[in-house]
Every structure is written in C-alpha cells, then in structure tokens.
Amino acid sequence: MILEFNMVKTMLLAIVLLYIGNGIRNRIEFLKRWCIPGPVIGGLIFSIVAAVLHIKGVVTFKFDTTLQTLFMNIFFAATGFEASIPFMRRAGKKVVIFIFLAALLAFLQNVLAVGLGPIVGVDPKLALMTGSIPLTGGHGNAGSFGPVAEAAGVTGALAMAMASATFGLISGSIVGGPVANWLIRRNKLDVGYDPDKIEDENLAKLMAEQEAEASKIIELEGERISTSFLLLFVAVGIGAFLRDVNTKILPGVSIPIHVWGMVGGLFIRNVYELWLGKKGKVLPTQEVEMMGNVCLSMFVSSAVMTMELWQLIDLAGPLMILLFSQLILVVLFVILLTYRLTGKDYDSALMVAGHIGFGLGAVPVSMANMQSVSEKYHYSKIAFFIVPVVGGLFSNFTNAAIITFFYNLVGIS
C-alpha cells in the first residue's frame, strides 16, 4: 500500500515530528549533551518506522517536498545576511587562518571520500555524501545537497548524507573535548595563561563591538519582522535569477540554487547597509536569524523524515569504514595543522575542540566542546569569538564552493 502526502500534509507531519523530537531531546540528557537537533530526532524516529513498514511490505510513504526546498532556500539566504563586508575586512589574522583551515579540511574530507569510496566498493558520487557535505556542513547541507545528488541519479544519497551527519554530531561531541584536553596537558598550556590578552588590536576592537551588540536587548517589532520576511524572499529571488545566469553563461558548472540564495542574502545585507545605513536604518539581523532558524528546523525535520533508510542496508559496512576514516582525518588535521597554525597556545587548543565540533558536526557541538574544556581550565575570548564566526558563517560559503567543485568533478549536476 502507498500512502501519499501532499506538500501541506508533509509539512504538518514535519511540524509534529519537530515538536516530538524537541520534547524527547529535552527529557534525555545525553541527547542534549551531544547537541542532537530535535528535528533530527523526530524525523529519524519516523524514517526508521517507515523503513520497517516498507521492508515488511505494509506501507510505503510518498511525500511532496516542494515546501522543503523553499525552507532550505530561505535558511541559506538568512545565512548570507550574516556576511558583512566591513566585518570581513576587519577580521584578525587568526580569523583568516582559521577560515583557510576550515576550507582545507572540507576539501580533504571530500578527497578522502571520493578516493576511498571505490576501494570499499562505493561509487564516488555516493561516497561524497560522507565528506564535507554532512560533516563540515551538518544536517542542513546534508538535506540540501543530498536531494541534488538524488535528482542526478545517485540513489540513497540523502539517506547516506543524513546518516553521516548524525554520526558526525555524535563523534564530534565525544572526541573534541578529550583531544583539546590532551593538548593542554601535554604542552602545559594552562600555566600563565591570560584570558584577557589579545595581541591583535583590530581583532580585540571587533570583539568588543560584537559583545556590545550582543548585550543589547532588541524587542521584536512587527515592522522589523515583516521587513526581514520580505528581504529573505527578495534574497531567494535574486538567487534564482543568478542561477539562471549561471546556467546560461556556464552550462557545464552546476551551482545549487540554495548557494545562490546565500549569495543573494550577502548582496542585500551589504547593499542595505551601504544605502540605508547612512539614513539611520538598521537591518533587522536578529529577525532574519530567527526566520532562518525556524526554516532550518522545518527543513531538517522534513528532510530526515523522508529519508529512505532501506537503501543503506547493503552499505552499512563500507559506510562505517568511510566515516571512521573521516574521524581519523579530522583528529590528525586539528592536531597537526589547526593547533600549530593558530599559535600553539591555550586559545589554539580550545579552537581545536571547536574545529572538531563543526568539522564533524555543527557549531553548537563546537560551543559545547569548548565550554566543557573551559570549565576545567580557563575561558578564551578569542576561541569563543572565532569558532562560531568561521563555523557558522564563512565555512558555509567556502564549503558550498568546495562541494560544488566536487559535484562537477564526479559528474553530479
């Protein structure tokens, strides 16, 4: 029997599973500690049940995911709004180094996935779903790039990407703290550390401004909410036009629509500040972020619940080999490169915990890792500033470009 859901019913089920997942997460401590998203929990429970019912021949669910794509585009457009050009110009040297390291790790994750896949019997196109898409990108990128691969004929891409993202969240939260702790103890980094000492004056000033801005209490107003809502749709529309231009000018280079939406958000953010900022108009950044978070939750819940997990049964062994190889790569990378290139000090060790967090899972995992380490030793203003800025903002742009390169390399378009 086939049970079909139109787009409205699909979103209704996604909302129900979102609330169920959040409720379960709030009641089970290890889910909260590992920062497993509520939408993932609710969606995964349903997808497992759906897989069992399909295998038993009881029922197969069919979903209309039209609104899923819309929510995905709005979320990535909201991410683009965070990219202020003046901010990027003033970012300190460590920020620039960390951006490079995050991009390099994402690139190597895809090299490993594509190179190791055929060795363990997995098509490179499918193996790519264990690289930077679900790891550096998290469930958001897994749910957005996975369907692109599915549409190109890569069966099981979405399910494999989502499963890999969940593995990354769990392993990143387990490994991050211990690796940073080992570096601190091995190199005696907690001795004589001054948490208020920031050598880069430009970075120190930028951090002070960010802290002052974050301390402001801004009441949500109807006009600001409606403005943010409209601006996000304009950004998505600009992205759609840019995608058309891309298709006509460079037909052999496929860049997913949500990446162009992110570019649209970046464009509006900076035009708004240059044009209306001089007139005293303030961009509703908090409202945009709120809208983006809501759309992300809806998108992830819908994407996870529609996974066809039965397609992964034959890939269980090779999938684990690919994922544990990625885990080893990340740990070696942060010890040999991230720690050394960011200064080989306490801040660097804490940034290692953060890099493992979003290099395998997501920025919330980074923050949880660094928080657990700093509670034992000291707080680091630099680490808690740089990691979320790079992991939550710049990495989205660099990773999208890297993924697009590898998609075209392996023939996904």
Side-chain angles (χ1 to χ4, degrees), residues 177-245:
V179 172
N181 182 66
W182 175 77
L183 286 171
I184 293 170
R185 291 175 61 88
R186 182 175 184 269
N187 298 288
K188 298 181 174 59
L189 301 175
D190 60 321
V191 178
Y193 172 76
D194 183 357
D196 294 318
K197 183 180 179 181
I198 302 175
E199 296 178 358
D200 190 326
E201 295 182 2
N202 194 36
L203 179 58
K205 184 178 180 180
L206 185 57
M207 290 171 61
E209 291 178 0
Q210 291 287 92
E211 289 177 1
E213 183 67 25
S215 66
K216 294 179 181 178
I217 299 177
I218 300 177
E219 295 184 2
L220 298 179
E221 300 176 355
E223 183 178 353
R224 289 173 60 87
I225 293 176
S226 60
T227 299
S228 65
F229 192 72
L230 294 173
L231 288 176
L232 281 170
F233 273 98
V234 172
V236 171
I238 291 175
F241 278 108
L242 291 174
R243 172 68 181 274
D244 291 341
V245 173

Side-chain angles (χ1 to χ4, degrees), residues 94 187 189 335 337-349:
K94 277 197 175 185
N187 298 288
L189 301 175
I335 292 175
L337 291 178
T338 302
Y339 172 67
R340 294 173 182 274
L341 295 182
T342 55
K344 294 192 295 186
D345 53 17
Y346 178 79
D347 297 320
S348 301

